[in-house]
Amino acid sequence: MKPDPAVVETFIQKAEAVSAKVVRVASPDAAFAYAVDVCATKEACQLLVSGCEAPLSATAEALCQTKQEKIMAAPNLPETEFKALEEWCREKSIVLIKDDLRSHLAGIDIGFTRADYAIAETGTLVINSKSEALRLATMVSEIHIALLPVSRLRATAFDLTEELKQWMSDPADYTAMITGASRTADIERVLALGVHGPLELHILLWEECRCKP
């Protein structure tokens, strides 16, 4: 289903209003190239562990060394897409993982996911996060990059009623609704990004080709 162009524009405006970066891509390969470029050029160790600036023990030094290695997590990609992304990562010496994210909590640079749906009226991504790896990828990575097929964009949350009912049926799944980068203003009402999750959210809008054979 191809959404109304006005719905697409509303989604872009609402997502960007809450600090998300929205980029149109022509294909999954273009999305992979984008993610790899962001990972390769980002500053290492953006979320510094407290005490990193002080003299460190041998154990802490070893931890810091692991944080200098660029890591991307892509837990919910189909196998063929994961292998394609793996090739892109290999060219830039980026480590790509899909599970056992708990072993890399010291520093996951990019969490790359496929969004199941999105809601235009609030600029919200909707991801059926039934695996722990997927939940971690969207919560502990420094930058979350989500590939969103434009056909999965809906005008309002009510347009997802049937899908959400199915997800919430027995056995229930964990559904994440993500609106912008992590933010809080709990401390003296000063807005801070990245406190409870990623510092940045990039949404890659992909309009799938419906070409006739």
Side-chain angles (χ1 to χ4, degrees), residues 126 128 160-177:
V126 181
N128 188 5
L160 279 175
T161 299
E162 294 306 315
E163 288 83 355
L164 293 176
K165 280 182 179 179
Q166 183 176 351
W167 288 354
M168 294 175 185
S169 63
D170 187 31
D173 283 331
Y174 183 107
T175 299
M177 293 190 174

Side-chain angles (χ1 to χ4, degrees), residues 88-134:
W88 284 95
C89 288
R90 188 175 295 116
E91 291 180 10
K92 296 290 186 178
S93 300
I94 297 169
V95 176
L96 180 66
I97 60 175
K98 69 184 306 181
D99 47 33
D100 194 26
L101 269 65
R102 284 179 176 268
S103 298
H104 299 276
L105 296 183
I108 297 174
D109 295 273
I110 305 291
F112 187 96
T113 68
R114 257 182 176 270
D116 291 297
Y117 295 97
I119 301 168
E121 67 176 350
T122 54
T124 299
L125 297 177
V126 181
I127 302 178
N128 188 5
S129 306
K130 55 187 175 184
S131 75
E132 180 188 73
L134 183 52

Side-chain angles (χ1 to χ4, degrees), residues 124-198:
T124 299
L125 297 177
V126 181
I127 302 178
N128 188 5
S129 306
K130 55 187 175 184
S131 75
E132 180 188 73
L134 183 52
R135 294 194 292 274
L136 288 175
T138 62
M139 293 171 64
V140 305
S141 58
E142 295 182 7
I143 298 174
H144 178 197
I145 299 178
L147 177 60
L148 172 65
V150 174
S151 62
R152 293 302 187 100
L153 183 56
R154 302 291 184 264
T156 72
F158 293 106
D159 297 320
L160 279 175
T161 299
E162 294 306 315
E163 288 83 355
L164 293 176
K165 280 182 179 179
Q166 183 176 351
W167 288 354
M168 294 175 185
S169 63
D170 187 31
D173 283 331
Y174 183 107
T175 299
M177 293 190 174
I178 301 170
T179 308
S182 169
R183 58 180 56 214
T184 184
D186 291 345
I187 303 173
E188 297 182 353
R189 298 183 181 179
V190 176
L191 178 64
L193 297 179
V195 175
H196 305 300

